[in-house]
Amino acid sequence: MKSAVLVFPGINRERDMARALRLASGQEPAMIWHAETSLPKGIDLVVAPGGFSYGDYLRCGAIAARSPVMDAVRGFAADGGLVLGVCNGFQILCESGLLPGVLMRNAQLKFICHDVHLRIERSDTPFTRGYNAGQVIRVPVAHGEGNYEADEETLKRLEGEGRVLYRYCSSDGAIDERANVNGAAHSIAGIVNERGNVLGLMPHPENHVEDIMGCTDGRGLFAGLVAHLERAA
Amino acid sequence: MKARVTVTLKSSILDPQGKAIEGALKSLGVDGVASVRQGKVFDIELSDTDKAKAEAALKAAADKLLANTVIENYRVELL
């Protein structure tokens, strides 16, 4: 798997992401500065990592979403390339129009930084094939604006088309308001676009990939992407 | 020419920040506050002196960047 990690001013999780990608694929990801107007040839996956691009000025991800490299990312996604946005990366993908909806201030108005449980809603996608449907994984969140909202029509479509891949849940997989850490509509933690090749995910799977991190539940996402690409090749 | 773009949350969108401000005003003893919704104001100086052109430019600015029209409305004023 040849991957590229986008680097915007103010991003701070790009090295965690690069490490997880290297671990899963055995290949060094390309680090792509936001001012670039093209992506390297032969890339399989583009990742918008977490952090605070442009200090969250205006709206989270708003300025980064309008940087030159995002035109190349839109073209890449239109050609069917895989795109993953984590945390601020998810916000950037929503602001860039690659994903519907918006990530609003957490309902409790607090920055949250702890482990959460996520339920995998289906396993037949490039972004979840490393897991089983219904499986519960534990990964960290670290955000102040992760409350996913969209209009009723959009939510209905997301649910009807099976595009909610990750949902906040309790440790036994139950979906309830207590486990919904930021108040997101339908407990949504991660969604894909209509074509299924762009995933936005609020929590940080890249921070649970090695034994030293205390948990390796995040590995499945990256291993699944590698397996998907190997099968496609 | 000076202009102002005001961006506010659509009425259907919950505004937890506005709610918190409303609560703070009440705890300060400011009387008669029924509810608060917060937003953003952009004061913009335009080099163009043509009104129609200026309005078109401001609308483009709001649509492309200043507002996220999924959740926000905006109002453009030439001052």
Side-chain angles (χ1 to χ4, degrees):
Chain A
M1 178 171 74
K2 286 175 77 177
S3 53
V5 177
L6 306 176
V7 183
F8 302 95
I11 282 286
N12 60 12
R13 300 296 190 104
E14 76 278 13
R15 279 170 293 181
D16 304 30
M17 186 56 78
R19 190 179 166 99
L21 291 166
R22 195 185 310 125
L23 191 79
S25 69
Q27 283 177 284
E28 196 64 38
M31 306 303 278
I32 309 297
W33 186 235
H34 67 107
E36 297 288 338
T37 52
S38 63
L39 296 165
K41 279 201 172 25
I43 291 287
D44 299 306
L45 170 75
V46 172
V47 184
F52 297 87
S53 57
Y54 296 89
D56 282 347
Y57 290 177
L58 188 62
R59 296 178 306 274
C60 300
I63 312 279
R66 285 139 182 102
S67 57
V69 77
M70 288 309 294
D71 283 332
V73 174
R74 269 186 283 267
F76 178 77
D79 291 340
L82 295 171
V83 179
L84 166 66
V86 166
C87 199
N88 193 209
F90 188 2
Q91 296 163 340
I92 292 168
L93 295 183
C94 285
E95 279 283 347
S96 69
L98 281 164
L99 290 173
V102 59
L103 292 140
M104 301 203 43
R105 182 67 61 97
N106 294 345
Q108 326 80 322
L109 296 173
K110 283 187 184 139
F111 188 93
I112 49 173
C113 185
H114 54 70
D115 286 1
V116 298
H117 291 97
L118 299 179
R119 191 172 78 188
I120 314 300
E121 297 295 271
R122 53 189 288 192
S123 63
D124 57 342
T125 81
F127 299 104
T128 53
R129 59 171 291 157
Y131 300 113
N132 296 316
Q135 186 178 342
V136 176
I137 61 167
R138 181 165 62 90
V139 285
V141 289
H143 62 248
E145 276 98 352
N147 175 357
Y148 183 81
E149 298 295 339
D151 59 66
E152 272 311 311
E153 190 55 35
T154 302
L155 288 171
K156 224 168 100 181
R157 278 194 65 193
L158 288 173
E159 295 288 0
E161 293 168 7
R163 286 161 55 191
V164 180
L165 303 191
Y166 293 86
R167 237 186 271 269
Y168 302 108
C169 68
S170 63
S171 57
D172 60 1
I175 307 296
D176 56 44
E177 275 315 299
R178 227 162 50 104
N180 189 9
V181 289
N182 50 31
H186 300 206
S187 296
I188 286 171
I191 54 159
V192 284
N193 63 339
E194 206 172 341
R195 191 165 170 180
N197 63 320
V198 178
L199 171 74
L201 183 66
M202 219 47 223
H204 290 278
E206 75 277 17
N207 289 138
H208 270 182
V209 293
E210 292 174 82
D211 289 328
I212 198 170
M213 297 167 173
C215 184
T216 57
D217 283 3
R219 268 189 192 175
L221 193 157
F222 302 99
L225 284 166
V226 170
H228 166 80
L229 289 162
E230 274 170 5
R231 209 176 68 159
Chain B
M1 194 188 308
K2 289 186 178 182
R4 175 167 285 181
V5 178
T6 309
V7 176
T8 50
L9 282 171
K10 289 183 178 172
S11 55
S12 58
I13 302 292
L14 285 177
D15 179 12
Q17 291 186 79
K19 276 270 168 241
I21 295 164
E22 179 187 320
L25 286 174
K26 283 175 179 163
S27 73
L28 282 169
V30 178
D31 280 339
V33 176
S35 77
V36 178
R37 293 183 62 82
Q38 48 84 48
K40 296 189 187 92
V41 167
F42 302 87
D43 284 331
I44 299 175
E45 256 187 82
L46 297 154
S47 49
D48 220 318
T49 52
D50 181 291
K51 251 184 147 180
K53 269 195 202 164
E55 270 177 8
L58 291 164
K59 195 172 173 314
D63 280 325
K64 284 184 180 171
L65 181 62
L66 303 182
N68 180 338
T69 52
V70 176
I71 50 164
E72 292 169 326
N73 292 322
Y74 64 83
R75 193 174 72 236
V76 170
E77 295 166 88
L78 292 173
L79 304 174

